[in-house]
Amino acid sequence: MIVADRKPLQEILEMIKDFNKILIIGCKGCVTVCNVGGSKEVGILASSLKIARKKEGRPLEIDEKTLERQCDPEYVDQIKDIVNDYDAIISMACGVGPQFLSERYPDSRFFPAVNTTFFGGALQHGIWEERCAGCGTCVIHYFEGMCPIARCAKSLLNGPCGGSAGGKCEISKDVDCIWDLIVKKKMEQGRLDDLLEFRPAKDWTTSRDGGPRKSVREELVQ
Amino acid sequence: MSELKSGSNLEKVLKAGHFAFTGECGPPQGANVEHLKEKAHHLKGCVDAVNITDNQTAVVRMSSWAASIILMQEGLEPNFQMVCRDRNRLAIQSDILGIYAHGIRNMLCLSGDHQRFGNHPQAKNVFDIDSMQLIHTVKTMRDEGKFMNGEDIDVPPKLFIGAASNPFADPFEFRVHRLAKKIAAGADFIQTQCIYNMDRFREFMKNAVDMGLHEKCYILAGVTPMKSVGMARYMAKQVPGMDVPDSLIERLRGAGKGNVAQEGIKFALEQIEEFKEMEGIAGVHLMAIEWEHMVPEIAEKAGVLPRPQV
Amino acid sequence: MRLSYPSNVKIIQVPCTGRVDILHLLRAIEDGADGVYVAGCLEGECHFIDGNLKARKRVQYVKKTLEEVGIEPERVEMFNLSAGEGPRFAEIAREMSERIKELGPSPLNVKKAA
């Protein structure tokens, strides 16, 4: 899923300081699964903002809504009858949401309430970790199912570097050295020889470095 | 290793079978050319080549190619270091052409410390290619006369290719294999991370010799004399991939106030003596960090002077 | 045990403090409560294993939220006591009432001068 973190309240309050009637829109996709932008979090943000503004003596009127997804036009369409009732709209979806909303409703003001961070999964409830960098050319099969592009601080294809110590990365003792895990798994599986092979420089044209990307599947296009 | 690959002094010294002795010099955090020249002055005549670090520990300093040129003007041979953190493949290849055009003949290929602990942690890093691919790039440019995209180079750069090896990083079992991989990728010489744990290094070298790596590449053992107990403790605790045994820290502490630095040098000299005899070791890389003025004394006591003229 | 406790404390019963949600606490403040506290079982003695530990984390979240918007986090608190400790329950009610009295009314209840 796409993982995100809620922005600090003060930052959101600053964004909406000139507005008095707000709609907060959640998303039932990834951000619901990572507990940052679903209907529950919409409610918490609404209450928190109302408390803050009530304290300032400038009460805020807030409505709440959570869409199926904010990254598909058919769901974004669902607010067309109410969108003009608000001074501003806060999206709690990943960075895609407020952009799709802005494109569909060019006359309205949209603000992001979350910082979109990475593609990852839940290690346990409340803890998520990065797994994919979306480089456009998957290579994890060379590395026992682990991605050094996303999970090595230096994206080394011929690691580990000299900063790997005790299974941890040189950037932090809280970060696993993915190359340590790759080497150990290769040894366990008796496939260490795979790592003796030189891995050539990566072609980054399929990643963001090649410019903004688009995926077109002709068989689906109407 | 029949004919010269680059014709650098370091290459000639090693090829002639001399025990090589290289030094290191960090460029200034500013444009203070006089300070750089002064540091270089201490090393002159004591070493075969001087490593010029490239934004070492991700702290901004004068560019390594510029400092390398200044060193050449002072009559020293630079070993130009390049990290992959700060440049993409376009900048990497153009800098390689540039340094060669200016007469630089040695180059050490590194991934580079992550910027997180440097003085610009907000930076975006590059890591377009890794150190292994950098070695391979320099070799392809030199031996095949081709850029990474396969296009021909009009006058290819002929460089003596260096790489680093850290025998003390984890996983230990893989370290010698990664060294082998760097040699296969094109490294002509290796400079190791600072060595303090001699037992572990002996084991590493035995594995390297068993694999015949010393016959394919010159391996220089890294030595950094400890200046103080504080430095030893810092290296032990704070520098990832550094192995400083407690026994060494105890030995330094036992030397007593005012004698620690001399004891640090004494340990370094003992190491150098052992490296001279150790199978597979072709020389020593002395990294006297901000202690360049001690290099002449260390070189003298180590019995590596005068340096061979080749 | 006809123990008396301050009449300004309004009790809302839940089967377990694990049922108490962040939103319950926020809404209480939003709707004008000067303080709100959760009285859960002793830690390690939850019938549902860790309901009271979850409640504690939610209380912490609400404290942090209040702090972010400039409201005293002490207005929200978590207490742990066993069901058999009637006197302790009354004591906590008094303690919390005293604390809130010292803090004064919630900033949300203070009329702003026009």
Side-chain angles (χ1 to χ4, degrees), chain A residues 154 158 164 166 170 195 202, chain B residues 89 112 114 130 170 178 181:
Chain A
K154 302 175 186 175
N158 295 281
S164 176
E170 71 177 26
L195 294 182
K202 188 172 171 68
Chain B
R89 63 189 76 182
H114 194 272
D130 64 22
D170 291 318
R178 191 154 190 265
K181 202 170 162 179

Side-chain angles (χ1 to χ4, degrees), chain C residues 1-5 82-90:
Chain C
M1 281 199 291
R2 295 194 148 277
L3 295 161
S4 69
Y5 60 88
S82 87
E85 291 181 281
R88 175 69 186 137
F89 182 85

Side-chain angles (χ1 to χ4, degrees), chain B residues 196 224-236 289:
Chain B
Y196 296 106
T224 292
M226 292 288 194
K227 285 195 260 190
S228 64
V229 177
M231 173 182 173
R233 277 211 210 96
Y234 176 82
M235 296 257 237
I289 304 162

